[in-house]
Structures are given as C-alpha cells and as structure tokens.
Amino acid sequence: MAATQATLSALDPSKNSKNTFKLENTEKRDTLISIEKRYQAKWAEDGIFEVNAPSTSEVPLHSISAAELRAKQPKFFGTMAYPYMNGTLHAGHSFTVSKIEFTAGVARMQGRKALFPLGFHCTGMPIKACADKLVREVEMFGQEFEKCPENEVISGTAEADQNSTGSAPAAPTQAQTHEDVTKFTAKKSKAAAKAVKMKYQFQIMLALGIPLKEIHRFADPQYWLTFFPPLCKRDLTNFGARIDWRRSMVTTDANPYYDAFVRWQMNRLKELEKIKYGKRETIYSPKDGQPCMDHDRSEGEGIGPQKYTGIKLKVKEWAPKAEENLGTKIQNGANVYMVAATLRPETMYGQTCCFVGPKITYGVYQVNENDFFIISERAARNMAFQGIPDVFSKFGEYTKVADVIGSALVGTLVVAPLSLHKEGVRVLPMETVLASKGTGVVTSVPSDSPDDFATVTDLAKKPEFYGIQKEWAELEIFPIINTPSYGDLAAPTLVKQMKINSPKDTKQLTEAKGLAYKEGFYQGTMLVGEFKGQSVQVIKDKVHRSLIASGEAIEYWEPEGLIISRSGDECVVALMDQWYLNYGDDKAWKDQAIGWVQNGLNLYTAETKNGFMGVLNWLNKWACARTYGLGSKLPFDPKFLVESLSDSTIYNAYYTVAHLLHADIFGKEPGSLGVKAEQMTDEVWDYIFARRELEESTIKTSGINKTAIESMRREFEYWYPVDIRVSGKDLINNHLTFFLYIHLALFPPEYWPRSIRANGHLLLNGEKMSKHTGNFLTLDETVKKYGADASRIALADAGDGVEDANFEESVANSSILRLFTLKEWCEEMMKDSASLRSGPKDGFWDRLFENELNTLVLDARQHYEATLYKAALKSALYDFTSARDFYREATVAAGIGMHRDLVIRYIELQALLVTPIAPHWAEYIWLEVLKKPTTIQTQLFPVVQSSDPALTSAREYVRTTSSNITSAEAAQQKKKDKGKNVAFDPRRPKQLTIFAAASYPAWQEKYIDLLREYFDSVSLSVNDKDLNPKISKMGEMKKAMPFVQGLKKRLTSGESSSSVFERKLAFDECEVLGEMRSGLIRTTGCKDVQIVLVEEGGKKGSKVVGGKPGGEVVEGLPPNAESAVPGSPTFYFENVEA
C-alpha cells in the first residue's frame, strides 16, 4: 500500500486549491448558502425551469406556421457544449455555464419561454482508454493496487531546506496581497520532498478524489457513465443553473434513443454525400490502430497533417567517416538517398548544399529492394503508414539497416534534383536542424531562405571550426525567383536590410523568413527551369507533381506538431481507407457555411467571426469513424464507431424531444409518450425535424400514434432554431464549425443557428488554473467556498470578450459581504418602513434618485441583452447600490430622510435587476422581504420612464462638484501633513464659498457655432474628423478642446441640442447648489457654505440665498472666481473664527 499512500499524501485533492483564498469568517456565507439551498429545492419541486412548447391541443399543429407560433409565444433556446464525463466540473466550466445561464435568465425576464438543457458527453476514447489502463493495473497490482511498489511512483528526493517546517505557506487572506502562485515551492525536508510520478491511472483517480476502494469499479467504462453525470447535475444545481434536467441524456449506445438519433444523422449525411469513403491522410495512432481525432488526444488538439515534398538527394560520394560506418552495411549498386522534406519545391533550382544536424543520429532504412533512405526515425515511422510508392511496402513496417551520426555525413556529395549545380552539392552541418521536424535532413536554398543564407555565410567564415572545406559553403548562389520588393536574391537582400549577422539572430531571421516566403509565393516570378516566367503561386504544385513523376521526390506527410493519443502513443500521419465528412472539399457546402457566417449568424465579436472564417478556409475532410472507444456504431459500416466530434454536432435538436422519449438519462424508462427506442426510425426523425411531411406509412411502420409524433414535431418546430450557442473559443477549430456545417446540411434555413458566443479561458486570481501550483478550484469547491450567488457575481465580473477572463476570489469574497449587508438593509427598511418619510415624493433628491434608478434599469437591460454581463453587473448592482447610498446620505444631510415609496421601489428594482446573476438572493428579497405572492423567476424586466436629461445632468453636476470640493480639501490636508504651505488649515474652523457663473465667456461663442455646424441631430453624433482640425487652426486648443468635449458629452447623452447651443444648462445651477449646501456643510465640516453668482469678468457677484440669486452684492472676489463657467463652478476655502 506504500505507493497508494505516497500518492494520497502528495496528491490529496484538497491540495489542488491550497494556494487559493482562505476565508476567515463564514457566518455570513453560511446564511446566504442556507437561503440558496432552500430555493434550489423549491425551484426543483415546482419545476420552475421545466418548460414545454405550446401543446398541439392548445394550438393544433400547422393551424399557424411555426414562425407565427414563435412570434406569438416568444421563446429562447440556448445551449452550451455538453461536458465530458471523465471528471467533475471545474471553475473554467462554470464560466461557460454562466454565459448561457445569465442569458437564459435575461430571456425569462423578457417574457420568453426559456429553455436551457444539458446532456452528458461520453463518446470517444478518453473513458475507454482510462478504463483499460485500470484493467491492466488491477491485474498487475491488485484490486486496491496494494502490490504497486513505492519506487514505481516515487522519483527520489529533491533538494530542500533541512530546517524547514515541512508545510506549505498559508494561503492569502483578505488582508494579504495575491502572490504569483506559479513561483511557489513547498519547503520540505530532504526526506519529505519526494516527487510523485503520475505514472498510473489509479493515481489520477486518487487525485480526482475517488476513494481507493472504489477505483477498481472504473475499469468498467460504463461505470464512468453512472458515476460522473449525477455529480455534474449536483454541482450545477448547487450553482443555481436554470437547467431543464428532464431533457438530459448520456451519449453513446448506452442510451438507445440517442443512439437511434445519431444513426439517423449519419445515414442522412451519407445520402447527401456529405460522408464519403476513401483514402486520405489522417492523424493516426499506431498503438490504437485507428485515427486519432482532437478529442482522442492528450496533447496536440487542433493539429493536422502537413504535406511536404520529400526531395531525394542521391549519394554520389561518401564522406570518409560515413564510408567507414556504412560501407559494409549497404549492398553494392544500391541507391542511397538523403531525403529532405521541403514546403517550397519551386526553390529547388537554387540548392547549394544539404544540411544535417551534426548531433542527430540518423537511420539508414531499406525502403525497397534497391533503395535506401537516410532520415530520422520519426520520419521513417510516418512514411511506413503512408503507402508511398516503392517505400516500405507493408503498412506500418520499416526496416533499419544502420545508424549514422550526422557529423559523419558532413562532406558527403549528393545530387540535388533541379539544382543548377549539376555536379552535386555537399552535406554541411547546421546546429538548428531538428529530428522532430521533417526528416531531419534540410536542403539549402540561400537565394530565397534567409536562414540558409545566414548559415552558409557563417560556415564559409569559420570552415575549420565546423570541420569543412571552405569551398563547400561557397558555391555560387543563383537567382531563381524575382520579387518586386527584394529583387532576384530575396534572402541576401533581407539579411542585409535587417542587419542579420549570424544564424543566432533568430528573431530577425524568423521575421525575414516570413517576408521572403510571402513575397516569393504571392508575387514571385520564376527566372529558371521548366516554368520560367510563370507565377510561383501558380506553379508550386506543378513542380511538386513533376518531381514525384520523375522519381526525384516523394510526397511525405507528418503531423504539424507533436500529437499524443489518450493511450500515450505519439501519432503519425497515415493514408487510410476511412469514412470522412467532406468538410472543405464540398465547395457548395463550404460556400453556404461562409455565407451564413458573413450574413446570417450573430457572432458577437469580430475576433470570433475572423476565427470562423479562418477555420472554414482551411478545414478539409474529417474522419468521422473509429474502431476503439465508446459511441454509436456507424449504421452503414458497424465495425466502426462514430467519433466524438461527429456525434455531437446537432444534439441540440435531440434536446427538444428528449423528455418525451425517456424519463432517465440512459433511456431505460420510456418518457411521457411511451415510445420505444426501436420505434424511432429514420423516417420518424425526418418528420420530427421538419425534413418531410407525415405519411401513413411512417405511422404504420414505427407504430407511434399520430398525436405523439406530432407532439415531438411541435417541440422541435417551436424551440428551434438555437438562439445562442456558448462555448470556449478553442472549440471554433472543430466542434463549433462542425455544429454549423451539419445544421446547414440537415435542416431547412428556418432552423439554422442564430448566434454563437465564444468566450475566453478562465484565469484564477490572474493566473492559469493548475492543480500542480495549488491554484485550482472545482465548481463544487467554488460554490461551497463562496456560495452560488457570490460565485456567479465573480463570474459575471470576470469578463465578457474572447480574451481570457479572470475569476478573482477577492470579488467572490467581497460579494458575500455585499449581499449579506444589502439583505439586512432591505429587511431593516421593510421592517421600519412606517418610520420613513411619506407624502409627496417630488423633492429635488427624490426626483434625482428616481431618475437615476430609471437610468440604471435601462442601462442594465441594454447590457444584459447585449450579453455584456460585467457591464450589466455594474449597472444592476454596483451603481444601483451607489445610487441608494448617495440618496440616503443626501436626504440625511438635508434633514428630510428617505421616502418610503422610493425605498420600496429601490428594493423591488434591485431584486429584479440582479435576478439573472444572483437569483437566490433576489428570490429571498422578493418573497420573504417584499412578501410578493409568486417567484421572481417569472417576473419581467421592470418598466420605467425614460431618463430625464435635465435630472441626469443635475446628478452628474452634484457628483462632480462634490468630488472636486472634497478632493481639494483632502489635497490641502496632505500638503499640510508634509509641512508645506497651504491656503487654509482644513482642521481649523473654515468656510466654503462656491462661485457659479451667471454667463459664459464671450470667447466660447465661436466654438458653439462651429460645433453646431458639425453636429448631426438625428444620429446624435459629431463629425470629429472635420471638426478637430478647424479647432486646431483657431489657436486655442488648450482651453477650447475641453470646452468642446464637455458640450459634445451633453449632446450625445440625449440633452436637448437647443439647451446646449443656446447656452442654457438643463437645470438651475443656483437651485442645485442650494440643495447641496447642507450636505456640503456636513461632509466638509465647514461652519458655513456660501454660494455666489459671479457676473461677467469675475470681479463681483451676488449671494445665492435659498437657491435663488439676488442676495447681497459681493465685491473683490478671489482670482479663481473668474474661472467659473455655467455648469463648472469654482470654490474657495478660508479659515474663520470659531
């Protein structure tokens, strides 16, 4: 048991989050969680989120069109990529969940029936591969892995401080600054600092938190399907997700109804010739004996096959060391080729040498009876699966006769096909050659490759150092391609222009390579050879084919990067007979998809749209079947299974009828219609999905009665199309594009997806989530730690774009206090509402508050409907509570207190506005504090009056003026504390005088006229392009531009253009200052606050009394009085006698 105990100790799941935030007091959180649990149970009991299409008894099928029904009874149908069931959900999953979850909540408040279903994805290799590993490990080590030796999982000791305590540092608390957890190193003694190797599957299961005694049960892949879906449902229910769980299912043939759905889909795609069979290059796992698609990989998702031209450089004369090593191992008269993989066959006319990595060990492989290739082991392995003519005749088998180090090959003379150096070129060393890229042999074209030119130049400078003869690196560099920007020798020109001095200038060389290739390919013209005078872009493939036809090259493929299958196998590219979806090759289908992306599909951001366009332009053929894993059998070739990215394209349609077909996720219990899985024929699915009309033969053959089959058709026609699909941006490369393609192929345009929202990945506390660093949270841990609503607020606050978002635990933690405090305040206000002010609510502060509430309601709704949840949270919660605070403080300072009706209205609006994001808190306030009769989940967005621009301007004026005054006072105190001279002592008795201008300065008139000329009153916009240069020419930019910007802000906010251009404020400034006076006395601690209306010139003015000008005339005003303009007062502090 030593190995399991060592693993448990080192990989205790609780340590995955050891460096996350630690809560010091949980009483408030626990109170909020108890509320959440209560309402989650109530919502489930009442079936609040279980929604159905209007029944055919309510609205007979086809009595009106499906579009008319959706218009009369608006609906929302949103989905996300169903999670894979090989573990529990983490905080990253919850970020994607939150986007569709918030959107569903908004849709309900718009008065739409809102459907958010979720299934459980189990198709593919991952579960089966893990289960098979456990089978082997149980056989090797016993049911509880007790026979696993400790040295199998312990890699030794690490250097550490002998005197350390052996414990990790405490996690940050509220008072501590977040540190870079990726730099954390546990301080343990040498004896304790043993590194545990994650060598076995049972260790991974322990790290997931699976009890040791349970792990052996996961050797049965079907057990995964029963274990993880309930946990997923539990975690999302605890999160407060508005999911209709009746419509859930597991994929694969474990659910016979879903299996029938997938088989129908594949049959119809084949009939439409979207699925084809034939030889094609595909990523392949030799160990698994089948194609390895994205979801089958533990590393390398999104990487595809890359085609090369394999140039056969025939050995003409061996270098002495190579002759010594290989002379007896290769038969006399045999042809030996060093095969170089190139992406630029058109440049082969310019070959001057061939590079090898001097430290790389190459293999000599017998590819047929008379021919041998010198290439890397990796390249030989790839070639063996590609059916290359006269190369490795048996699939997957390759014969190596010898090894040779690259340095031994240096100096070998080879014949380079197409090269203008007909006598041959030499093999030279190049340190940067990689055995993991191409064949490990690189042909050199210094005329058009900056890397090659820099290398041969360096070799020629130091021949003794490299062990070569100088002339080998100095063969003439012939011009082979003309380019407009870089002439006939692009590489030497770029190296000179960019001042590249050696092959070590990698950054500049990378840039130069890109410039040379782009210019040469798109604008280059051949100067030599069979295609002289023709465009490189046109003849590149012709050269490739010509070299292969002449026997001087082969077509070679390899993965674009490292791909590791779930079984731990490094994948190759294989030429195989296989079933594939004809993405990309079917031009009409591709054009249809591009057209929908460009003109029909809402993708929310330009980045997402560009991502789709890029994928649609490169995606080409996708293997849709495999022989290993879990899934549905391919109906027309049952020895194959449908692969995981091909059975998960249109399952959104299955959600519409799932609850009618089965009552459990496995389809063991029939649904409300009593339909059996075997009755779901392809013709039935066709009818349900509006692909054909109902025929008597369909009813007779299937045995499903007409009412039942029409009920399913109604559910589909009503809920489809998908209104929004939410997924991580990484799925644009495959799943989301497939989702689009298959919908367009199988459904009428009326049912094509309407929008796709791609989001970025989720960081945790500004760092990548990692169990290794302890910066990791599962969804379950997050909700237990912060509660559902506080977690949801932090997710809303995390961000909305396609860039990576950031879940800050400090936001979740502070949200606990915010929600708890706000809850208590609401309770207190309702309890003591009789003591609040009543009667007319038409005072200045009342009107200002009510108008701000209306403005924020409208702003929040606008942000919600644009799926901008961070902005919506700001308007709906942060700014909403700030508005309340301002009103409370202002009315207390004025001595009038808050108005009861406005307080109650605030509480109602606050509950409604946060419902999409914090539904539990909102429900509590709605039902238990406000004593409303029905759930808030069925309430609509509040209807409010449009905001009053005059009151909005007055509120902004109050905020700005108050802030300026308090900031100026604080600045004086700060100066005094530093021992500097100050105009007044803030701590001594003082008086504040505010100077308001009676009129605008005369110089501003010309800018008013200019702005009027360039303002569009229809679009409420200003033509800055023409306006700004004119202002600049008038020579007063420093004072004119801020003035003009202020006017523009007023115009674009909706304030009447007549009031702006006629030099009128939207409010009475003296009256507003009069209302502010008592509050300023309170906040500044002044003995008195005086308001003076300044006349033109700023030398004298009259006091404002009771908000009205005309009081005592005041002369000899301080200099800053002259700077006051309407809407922008100045002020003056002075000390007075106590």
CSV table of all heavy atoms in Angstrom, one decimal, residues 753-774:
chain,number,residue,atom,x,y,z
A,753,PRO,N,-28.8,27.8,-36.9
A,753,PRO,CA,-28.4,28.5,-35.6
A,753,PRO,C,-28.4,30.1,-35.8
A,753,PRO,O,-28.0,30.5,-36.9
A,753,PRO,CB,-27.0,28.0,-35.3
A,753,PRO,CG,-26.9,26.8,-36.0
A,753,PRO,CD,-27.7,26.9,-37.3
A,754,ARG,N,-28.8,30.8,-34.8
A,754,ARG,CA,-28.9,32.2,-34.9
A,754,ARG,C,-27.7,32.9,-34.3
A,754,ARG,O,-27.4,34.0,-34.8
A,754,ARG,CB,-30.2,32.7,-34.2
A,754,ARG,CG,-31.5,32.3,-34.9
A,754,ARG,CD,-31.5,32.9,-36.4
A,754,ARG,NE,-32.7,32.6,-37.1
A,754,ARG,CZ,-32.9,31.7,-38.0
A,754,ARG,NH1,-31.8,30.9,-38.3
A,754,ARG,NH2,-34.0,31.5,-38.6
A,755,SER,N,-27.1,32.4,-33.3
A,755,SER,CA,-25.9,33.0,-32.8
A,755,SER,C,-25.0,32.0,-32.1
A,755,SER,O,-25.4,31.0,-31.6
A,755,SER,CB,-26.3,34.2,-31.8
A,755,SER,OG,-26.7,33.7,-30.6
A,756,ILE,N,-23.7,32.4,-32.1
A,756,ILE,CA,-22.7,31.6,-31.3
A,756,ILE,C,-21.8,32.6,-30.6
A,756,ILE,O,-21.3,33.6,-31.1
A,756,ILE,CB,-21.8,30.8,-32.3
A,756,ILE,CG1,-22.6,29.7,-33.0
A,756,ILE,CG2,-20.6,30.1,-31.5
A,756,ILE,CD1,-21.8,29.0,-34.1
A,757,ARG,N,-21.7,32.3,-29.3
A,757,ARG,CA,-20.9,33.2,-28.4
A,757,ARG,C,-19.7,32.5,-27.9
A,757,ARG,O,-19.9,31.5,-27.1
A,757,ARG,CB,-21.8,33.7,-27.2
A,757,ARG,CG,-21.1,34.9,-26.5
A,757,ARG,CD,-21.9,35.2,-25.3
A,757,ARG,NE,-21.5,36.5,-24.7
A,757,ARG,CZ,-20.4,36.7,-24.0
A,757,ARG,NH1,-19.5,35.7,-23.9
A,757,ARG,NH2,-20.1,37.9,-23.5
A,758,ALA,N,-18.5,32.8,-28.4
A,758,ALA,CA,-17.3,32.2,-27.9
A,758,ALA,C,-16.7,33.0,-26.8
A,758,ALA,O,-16.6,34.2,-26.9
A,758,ALA,CB,-16.3,32.0,-29.1
A,759,ASN,N,-16.3,32.3,-25.7
A,759,ASN,CA,-15.6,33.1,-24.6
A,759,ASN,C,-14.2,32.6,-24.4
A,759,ASN,O,-13.8,31.5,-24.9
A,759,ASN,CB,-16.4,32.9,-23.3
A,759,ASN,CG,-16.7,31.5,-22.9
A,759,ASN,OD1,-17.8,31.0,-23.1
A,759,ASN,ND2,-15.7,30.8,-22.4
A,760,GLY,N,-13.4,33.4,-23.8
A,760,GLY,CA,-12.0,33.0,-23.5
A,760,GLY,C,-11.9,32.0,-22.4
A,760,GLY,O,-12.9,31.5,-21.8
A,761,HIS,N,-10.7,31.6,-22.1
A,761,HIS,CA,-10.5,30.7,-20.9
A,761,HIS,C,-10.5,31.5,-19.6
A,761,HIS,O,-10.5,32.7,-19.7
A,761,HIS,CB,-9.1,30.0,-21.1
A,761,HIS,CG,-9.0,29.2,-22.3
A,761,HIS,ND1,-8.1,29.5,-23.3
A,761,HIS,CD2,-9.7,28.2,-22.8
A,761,HIS,CE1,-8.2,28.6,-24.3
A,761,HIS,NE2,-9.2,27.8,-24.0
A,762,LEU,N,-10.6,30.8,-18.5
A,762,LEU,CA,-10.8,31.5,-17.2
A,762,LEU,C,-9.5,31.3,-16.4
A,762,LEU,O,-9.0,30.2,-16.2
A,762,LEU,CB,-11.9,30.9,-16.5
A,762,LEU,CG,-12.3,31.6,-15.2
A,762,LEU,CD1,-12.9,33.0,-15.5
A,762,LEU,CD2,-13.3,30.8,-14.3
A,763,LEU,N,-8.9,32.5,-16.1
A,763,LEU,CA,-7.8,32.5,-15.1
A,763,LEU,C,-8.4,32.5,-13.7
A,763,LEU,O,-9.5,33.0,-13.5
A,763,LEU,CB,-7.0,33.8,-15.4
A,763,LEU,CG,-6.4,34.0,-16.8
A,763,LEU,CD1,-5.7,35.3,-16.8
A,763,LEU,CD2,-5.5,32.8,-17.1
A,764,LEU,N,-7.6,32.1,-12.8
A,764,LEU,CA,-8.0,32.1,-11.4
A,764,LEU,C,-7.0,33.0,-10.6
A,764,LEU,O,-5.8,32.8,-10.6
A,764,LEU,CB,-8.0,30.7,-10.8
A,764,LEU,CG,-8.4,30.6,-9.3
A,764,LEU,CD1,-9.8,31.2,-9.0
A,764,LEU,CD2,-8.3,29.1,-8.8
A,765,ASN,N,-7.5,34.2,-10.1
A,765,ASN,CA,-6.7,35.1,-9.4
A,765,ASN,C,-5.5,35.6,-10.3
A,765,ASN,O,-4.4,35.8,-9.9
A,765,ASN,CB,-6.1,34.6,-8.1
A,765,ASN,CG,-7.2,34.1,-7.2
A,765,ASN,OD1,-8.3,34.8,-7.1
A,765,ASN,ND2,-7.0,33.0,-6.5
A,766,GLY,N,-5.9,35.8,-11.6
A,766,GLY,CA,-4.9,36.3,-12.6
A,766,GLY,C,-3.9,35.3,-13.1
A,766,GLY,O,-3.0,35.7,-13.8
A,767,GLU,N,-4.0,34.1,-12.6
A,767,GLU,CA,-3.0,33.0,-13.1
A,767,GLU,C,-3.8,31.9,-13.7
A,767,GLU,O,-4.9,31.6,-13.4
A,767,GLU,CB,-2.2,32.5,-11.9
A,767,GLU,CG,-1.5,33.6,-11.1
A,767,GLU,CD,-0.3,34.1,-11.8
A,767,GLU,OE1,0.1,33.5,-12.8
A,767,GLU,OE2,0.3,35.1,-11.4
A,768,LYS,N,-3.0,31.1,-14.5
A,768,LYS,CA,-3.6,29.9,-15.1
A,768,LYS,C,-4.0,28.9,-14.0
A,768,LYS,O,-3.2,28.7,-13.1
A,768,LYS,CB,-2.6,29.3,-16.1
A,768,LYS,CG,-3.1,28.1,-16.8
A,768,LYS,CD,-2.1,27.5,-17.8
A,768,LYS,CE,-2.6,26.3,-18.5
A,768,LYS,NZ,-1.6,25.8,-19.5
A,769,MET,N,-5.1,28.3,-14.2
A,769,MET,CA,-5.5,27.3,-13.2
A,769,MET,C,-4.6,26.1,-13.3
A,769,MET,O,-4.4,25.6,-14.4
A,769,MET,CB,-7.0,26.9,-13.3
A,769,MET,CG,-7.9,27.9,-12.7
A,769,MET,SD,-9.6,27.2,-12.4
A,769,MET,CE,-10.2,27.0,-14.1
A,770,SER,N,-4.2,25.6,-12.1
A,770,SER,CA,-3.2,24.4,-12.2
A,770,SER,C,-3.3,23.7,-10.8
A,770,SER,O,-3.1,24.3,-9.8
A,770,SER,CB,-1.8,24.9,-12.4
A,770,SER,OG,-0.9,23.9,-12.1
A,771,LYS,N,-3.6,22.4,-10.9
A,771,LYS,CA,-3.5,21.6,-9.6
A,771,LYS,C,-2.1,21.6,-9.1
A,771,LYS,O,-1.9,21.6,-7.9
A,771,LYS,CB,-4.0,20.2,-9.9
A,771,LYS,CG,-5.5,20.1,-10.3
A,771,LYS,CD,-5.9,18.7,-10.6
A,771,LYS,CE,-7.4,18.6,-11.0
A,771,LYS,NZ,-7.8,17.3,-11.3
A,772,HIS,N,-1.2,21.6,-10.0
A,772,HIS,CA,0.2,21.5,-9.6
A,772,HIS,C,0.7,22.6,-8.7
A,772,HIS,O,1.4,22.4,-7.7
A,772,HIS,CB,1.1,21.4,-10.8
A,772,HIS,CG,2.6,21.4,-10.5
A,772,HIS,ND1,3.2,20.4,-9.9
A,772,HIS,CD2,3.6,22.4,-10.7
A,772,HIS,CE1,4.5,20.7,-9.8
A,772,HIS,NE2,4.7,21.9,-10.2
A,773,THR,N,0.2,23.8,-9.0
A,773,THR,CA,0.6,25.0,-8.2
A,773,THR,C,-0.4,25.3,-7.1
A,773,THR,O,-0.2,26.2,-6.3
A,773,THR,CB,0.7,26.3,-9.1
A,773,THR,OG1,-0.6,26.5,-9.7
A,773,THR,CG2,1.7,26.1,-10.2
A,774,GLY,N,-1.5,24.5,-7.0
A,774,GLY,CA,-2.4,24.7,-6.0
A,774,GLY,C,-3.4,25.9,-6.3
A,774,GLY,O,-4.2,26.3,-5.4
